[in-house]
Amino acid sequence: MKKSLHYFVFFICMNLYTQQRTIDSLETLLLTTNKQQDSLRLNVLIELGYNYYLSNPDKGLKVLDEAIQIAKTGNNQQHLARSYQYKGHNYSSKGEDSLALAMYDKAIAIYDKTNDKGRKARAIYNKGLVYFSQADYQQANAKNTEAYLVFKAEKDSVLMAKMLNSIGLNHMYLTDYPAALSTYFEALTLHEKLKDTTSLDYAAINGSIGMLYTRLEKFTKAITFHNKAVNIYKIKDYKYGLANSLNNIGTAYDYLKQPKNAIANYNKAFNIMQDINNPSGMASAITNIGMAYITLKDYNKALEHFKQSKPIYESLNNHTNLAIVHDNMGVCYSNLNNNLTEAKQHFKTSLAYAEEANSLNLQVNALESLTKTNYKLGNYKQAYHFMDEAIILKDSFYSIEKKEELARVEEQYKHQNEKTKLESNFERERLLAKEELDRQKHMRNLTIFGGGSLFLLIITGMFFYRKKQESDFNLKVADTELKALRAQMDPHFLFNALNSINSYILKNDTESATNYLTKFARLIRKTLESSTEKEVLLKDDIEVLKNYLDIEQKRLNHNFTYSIEVNDDIDPSNTLIPPLILQPFLENSIWHGIAQMKNSGHIKLQFKKENNLLFCTVDDNGVGRNLNETKHTENKSIGINLTKNRIDILNTQKKTKGSMTIIDKPQGVRVEVKLPLIFAF
């Protein structure tokens, strides 16, 4: 997956323009006070110290030092704690994180003495923000969770939602995507129950979900959530949040191979960041523009942008963004005069920064880049080593089980959202019915009321039942698709294929190892690419099946041949098919049919049109099911049942009559699969 910068928004302050007007008023008020007016002057100093921290933190520290002296003289513990807390804000704004943490700890110690749990939780949250800026997401999450529990005990839903958004961001950067999605949806639900769907906090959560969907390569969904945030930011005139969202929308368009749309959004973001004088935001927009130029294959322009942003991230000690920048610089050098040595160095630097940031997905990106570069340089052993590490690491954070969990979280949120709306509507209708009953209680009798109530219960019950049926069907779809993916990527096949590559390397058979590795890498890539699609082009699916058959053919020492025929009435470039739906039958033909034979066998795969259906057949001349009926029955039946479930779901969704038939021949087995005939355009 392509690497890019994402932007998050924590709402700790007001819009900078509004803040400046507040500063002007407070400075005027400060001039009218004198040192004898301790109480009034102390309040003005503290408010100034808070408002200075984004625009002029040095001034903020100066006025807060005076506030601390006044608070100590008057033994005003509450104001003293706030002064320390706001000093922490100003130190954090200057990038002096250790001093910021020390100030927050001083404030927390006072809040402990005064038993001010709410303010203590806010200071703990501030510490979490410092750890987040240092890319220490585990520490940040610990602080956010500690603050969340306090707000939960106080039943402060708004602050609970704010903490959940922060916790979700930490989960996302730690690559625990199911936990992140679940936390974001929990935060959304809190706002929706409060009917608070136009606030900046609600916008921030939608933006966070958009970022997560970008990481999950669901780019259209990502744009939808970012646009929800954009609409709120425009209404609220929150320019910083608007710029970040436009950057994130640009990233999604870049992934969708629409670089011109991406650059248009990045430029809008850059102009806003320039307008509010935010150098870091301007640099981030420039970085993303550079990545869009990579998509346009203008590598010189891309490098210019990365060279501008790299020193800024180095000064900020931002390992996450440095990993992204170096990886993209490596891409540029590998495409400029094939400068692979320079590219390799940048990929290594990217991997080191990704490990420092504890970002698994960025480590995978760097490992995959190192695999390709070493392969091009002829370092096949190193290429194999990096590829093996990438596969293991990717499995750890993007496993089938996590995909399944993500699908369940999404479905659970949809069901919960519908349930909340239904309960709300039902409660409102119940109250209206009660008022109507009280008004007309002398005009209605018990029989009519009882009949009406029964009718209402029946209608409501039917509505809930229908919603539950829809939810169950959607869960079945997600469960079947993910189990089908698990069957396609059989761990035994992966293990045996990697062992075969290793065997060629040990035998110093470089040509065979290279050939096998190329086919295997192409198969893995194509399978992962198609794993998120409901349908793929027939020509692409045939290419993946050919790759699979070639690998298995080589493993069996060419003990079988195969042929693939597509009738003239089918256009493979315009026909869609569920990805790898025929792969389990090919696997059965090879390992339960042909592998048992002494002589070489043959597999024939055919596609044609029949009664507006796509008619697919897998025909082999193996030993057949009768001779092999006691072996591997469980694995075979799982594959058959999964395919049958996928066809049943297609029939329901497309209103067609697809089917699957297994025919035992005198020698071998023939499988006939009928699917809906779907065109790409």
Side-chain angles (χ1 to χ4, degrees), residues 289-546:
I289 292 170
M291 286 181 276
Y293 278 121
I294 287 181
T295 306
L296 290 168
K297 299 185 178 180
D298 191 340
Y299 303 109
N300 283 311
K301 270 193 176 179
L303 266 177
E304 288 174 14
H305 288 82
F306 299 137
K307 287 178 179 178
Q308 288 179 51
S309 61
K310 184 167 76 73
I312 298 173
Y313 296 130
E314 286 172 344
S315 67
L316 295 172
N317 200 28
N318 190 322
H319 293 169
T320 300
N321 286 352
L322 281 168
I324 293 168
V325 168
H326 277 285
D327 194 279
N328 281 283
M329 289 179 77
V331 171
C332 291
Y333 281 114
S334 64
N335 285 279
L336 283 171
N337 300 321
N338 212 25
N339 193 346
L340 297 176
T341 305
E342 183 78 14
K344 182 178 176 180
Q345 189 55 49
H346 281 287
F347 292 140
K348 279 187 174 180
T349 306
S350 175
L351 180 60
Y353 278 124
E355 288 171 345
E356 286 288 331
N358 198 27
S359 174
L360 296 184
N361 66 313
L362 290 179
Q363 289 177 54
V364 169
N365 288 336
L367 287 166
E368 288 178 342
S369 298
L370 284 167
T371 299
K372 290 180 186 176
T373 307
N374 278 289
Y375 175 76
K376 289 177 181 177
L377 286 167
N379 302 329
Y380 301 119
K381 206 163 189 175
Q382 284 189 35
Y384 169 73
H385 168 73
F386 287 123
M387 184 189 73
D388 194 34
E389 281 194 25
I391 290 172
I392 293 168
L393 204 57
K394 187 175 286 188
D395 284 346
S396 72
F397 78 86
Y398 208 60
S399 64
I400 303 302
E401 287 74 16
K402 282 195 176 180
K403 278 191 173 184
E404 188 171 25
E405 191 176 345
L406 283 165
R408 291 187 185 282
V409 168
E410 286 181 318
E411 197 57 42
Q412 184 181 2
Y413 171 69
K414 289 176 187 174
H415 179 69
Q416 179 63 35
N417 204 23
E418 288 295 321
K419 182 181 175 185
T420 302
K421 288 178 183 176
L422 285 169
E423 286 175 348
S424 176
N425 290 338
F426 181 73
E427 181 66 18
R428 185 166 58 252
E429 289 174 9
R430 189 185 66 78
L431 290 172
L432 288 172
K434 185 176 180 300
E435 288 175 7
E436 182 67 13
L437 178 65
D438 290 341
R439 189 176 66 83
Q440 298 183 4
K441 62 182 177 180
H442 297 296
M443 300 170 61
R444 294 180 182 272
N445 58 50
L446 185 60
T447 305
I448 294 174
F449 169 69
S453 299
L454 180 61
F455 178 73
L456 180 62
L457 286 171
I458 291 170
I459 294 298
T460 307
M462 288 174 64
F463 193 59
F464 272 111
Y465 178 72
R466 184 164 61 84
K467 285 291 177 185
K468 185 177 183 303
Q469 278 188 319
E470 290 176 5
S471 178
D472 289 345
F473 177 73
N474 289 334
L475 284 172
K476 180 184 176 185
V477 171
D479 189 55
T480 300
E481 288 178 348
L482 292 167
K483 284 180 178 175
L485 176 61
R486 185 186 287 116
Q488 293 158 13
M489 297 300 293
D490 182 3
H492 296 294
F493 165 71
L494 295 176
F495 179 79
N496 290 332
L498 290 171
N499 269 347
S500 297
I501 297 169
N502 191 43
S503 174
Y504 288 128
I505 292 172
L506 293 174
K507 292 175 183 176
N508 206 23
D509 187 351
T510 307
E511 185 178 349
S512 295
T514 303
N515 181 270
Y516 201 104
L517 178 63
T518 302
K519 290 182 181 292
F520 179 71
R522 189 180 297 120
L523 177 64
I524 295 296
R525 179 174 61 82
K526 286 291 186 182
T527 303
L528 290 174
E529 282 176 356
S530 65
S531 66
T532 57
E533 303 295 333
K534 295 185 183 299
E535 290 113 7
V536 296
L537 289 174
L538 179 58
K539 71 178 183 65
D540 293 336
D541 199 55
I542 289 174
E543 181 187 346
V544 177
L545 294 176
K546 278 182 179 177

Side-chain angles (χ1 to χ4, degrees), residues 253-311:
Y253 276 123
D254 203 6
Y255 284 132
L256 287 168
K257 305 299 181 189
Q258 299 180 32
K260 291 182 180 177
N261 279 339
I263 290 173
N265 280 279
Y266 293 148
N267 279 324
K268 287 179 186 175
F270 175 82
N271 291 334
I272 294 171
M273 289 296 189
Q274 191 175 46
D275 185 46
I276 64 176
N277 193 26
N278 188 314
S280 176
M282 290 160 61
S284 298
I286 289 170
T287 302
N288 271 350
I289 292 170
M291 286 181 276
Y293 278 121
I294 287 181
T295 306
L296 290 168
K297 299 185 178 180
D298 191 340
Y299 303 109
N300 283 311
K301 270 193 176 179
L303 266 177
E304 288 174 14
H305 288 82
F306 299 137
K307 287 178 179 178
Q308 288 179 51
S309 61
K310 184 167 76 73

Side-chain angles (χ1 to χ4, degrees), residues 94 112 128 181 184 247 298 403 460 611:
K94 285 168 61 69
D112 269 333
L181 191 61
Y184 290 147
N247 262 315
D298 191 340
K403 278 191 173 184
T460 307
N611 297 328

Side-chain angles (χ1 to χ4, degrees), residues 556 558-560 593-601 621-623 667:
L556 288 174
H558 294 275
N559 194 34
F560 71 91
I594 290 170
Q596 314 296 326
M597 298 170 59
K598 294 181 180 178
N599 302 319
S600 61
N621 62 348
V623 298
Q667 182 175 352

